Amino acid sequence: MFSAITLIFGFQFTSLHAETTNPVPTKEYVVNDYAKVLSNSTKKQIIDKEKEYQKTAAKPQIVVMTINSTNGQSIDDYANDLLQNNRWHFGKKGLDNGLLILFAYNGGKNNVRISTGYGVEDILTDAQSNDILIKNKPLLKSSDTSDVDRGIDNVFQSVSKIISKRYANKSLQQIKKDQAAKKRTNMIVFIILFIVLIGVILIVIKIAKNNNHHNGPGSSGGDSSWLLPFLIGAGSSGNNNTFSGGFDSGGFSDSGGGGDFGGGGSSI
């Protein structure tokens, strides 16, 4: 009898733990107020905006989630793990236009993160996300639930304006055309930077050879070849704080899309 009770409670504890680390979406999907922070007014605005987005060709999605704890993880790691789960893939495939606003009490730390998709990170950069969070930090970090609710609502309104501007009154064809143009621009910038890097490397090599020639055989004075590894490393490094693509068409009521998330955005 005791073993049976232990087994039942053990199963319940395991299920509870799994629920907090891998929450099940609510029927509204875009509003997941597990920490009981959001007012009915804030929830309605988020849901109304989702209904509006679902009528567009692009079907972007902004999911707002509040939780009590990230269970010892940083909010960045928690968000990244969360977005790798099939339950939380949202946005539209090929457009990468999903976005997550995550709030965690974390024992009074009140951590908040904005995670953006590739399709919107050019109009909502990490720096812009950070500016939005910093602007609302006094509210978000407050011990008053009503302040936190207003802070989250402000963050949502700020990002939704940017998302709406990107996709308002545009056909799917035009959106894909704009995105293709953006990719071409990024490729051109990459090629230019690569050419510049190669030019710098060649100049350094030439300077090193000239210095060795002036200093005579066997002399190591003036050798600049030691700079090459650093230059090559600088050319290959980049901002890894990004968000992987591949969203499916965003649903509503009880489902999202089918995309994969990486780890871009900003947090406080």
Side-chain angles (χ1 to χ4, degrees):
M1 180 67 177
F2 178 77
S3 299
I5 293 174
T6 302
L7 180 62
I8 291 172
F9 277 99
F11 174 77
Q12 289 179 339
F13 176 79
T14 302
S15 299
L16 178 62
H17 180 70
E19 195 68 15
T20 56
T21 57
N22 184 19
V24 177
T26 63
K27 63 184 181 65
E28 291 84 10
Y29 194 80
V30 291
V31 177
N32 304 272
D33 187 26
Y34 304 116
K36 309 298 182 185
V37 176
L38 305 179
S39 65
N40 290 333
S41 174
T42 298
K43 292 178 183 178
K44 186 177 185 303
Q45 290 188 73
I46 298 168
I47 292 171
D48 287 348
K49 182 60 67 173
E50 169 66 1
K51 290 178 180 178
E52 178 185 317
Y53 285 156
Q54 289 304 303
K55 295 176 182 178
T56 67
K59 292 182 172 62
Q61 280 186 307
I62 303 174
V63 172
V64 179
M65 182 186 297
T66 70
I67 57 176
N68 287 309
S69 173
T70 56
N71 301 292
Q73 288 184 290
S74 69
I75 196 165
D76 294 2
D77 289 342
Y78 185 97
N80 291 341
D81 288 348
L82 182 82
L83 295 171
Q84 293 296 325
N85 190 281
N86 289 332
R87 292 174 174 174
W88 298 105
H89 291 184
F90 44 89
K92 188 173 180 65
K93 185 176 181 179
L95 297 184
D96 307 340
N97 55 3
L99 189 146
L100 172 69
I101 300 172
L102 176 65
F103 170 86
Y105 270 126
N106 279 340
K109 293 180 180 179
N110 290 21
N111 300 122
V112 191
R113 178 169 177 80
I114 299 174
S115 295
T116 55
Y118 277 132
V120 295
E121 66 180 4
D122 61 320
I123 58 169
L124 183 57
T125 63
D126 292 354
Q128 288 172 306
S129 295
N130 188 66
D131 287 343
I132 292 171
L133 292 176
I134 294 300
K135 182 179 179 180
N136 293 284
K137 188 174 181 179
L139 291 172
L140 295 170
K141 293 291 187 178
S142 173
S143 58
D144 188 329
T145 303
S146 62
D147 284 345
V148 175
D149 172 63
R150 283 198 296 133
I152 294 174
D153 181 50
N154 289 348
V155 171
F156 174 80
Q157 295 299 334
S158 295
V159 300
S160 66
K161 285 179 182 178
I162 295 172
I163 298 300
S164 297
K165 186 177 180 180
R166 160 58 61 89
Y167 298 108
N169 303 318
K170 286 187 178 181
S171 66
L172 192 59
Q173 182 179 7
Q174 182 60 49
I175 293 168
K176 289 183 177 180
K177 183 179 179 180
D178 292 345
Q179 195 165 36
K182 184 186 73 171
K183 288 181 179 179
R184 286 194 297 270
T185 301
N186 290 342
M187 180 58 67
I188 291 172
V189 171
F190 173 79
I191 292 172
I192 292 173
L193 291 176
F194 182 76
I195 292 173
V196 170
L197 176 64
I198 294 299
V200 171
I201 291 175
L202 292 176
I203 291 172
V204 170
I205 291 174
K206 184 175 181 179
I207 292 173
K209 286 183 178 180
N210 288 340
N211 285 341
N212 285 337
H213 175 74
H214 291 309
N215 290 327
S219 173
S220 59
D223 186 359
S224 301
S225 60
W226 61 273
L227 289 172
L228 293 180
F230 295 97
L231 290 171
I232 295 173
S236 62
S237 65
N239 182 12
N240 293 322
N241 191 30
T242 55
F243 199 84
S244 65
F247 297 113
D248 205 341
S249 56
F252 185 53
S253 181
D254 62 354
S255 65
D260 295 325
F261 280 72
S266 184
S267 56
I268 57 173

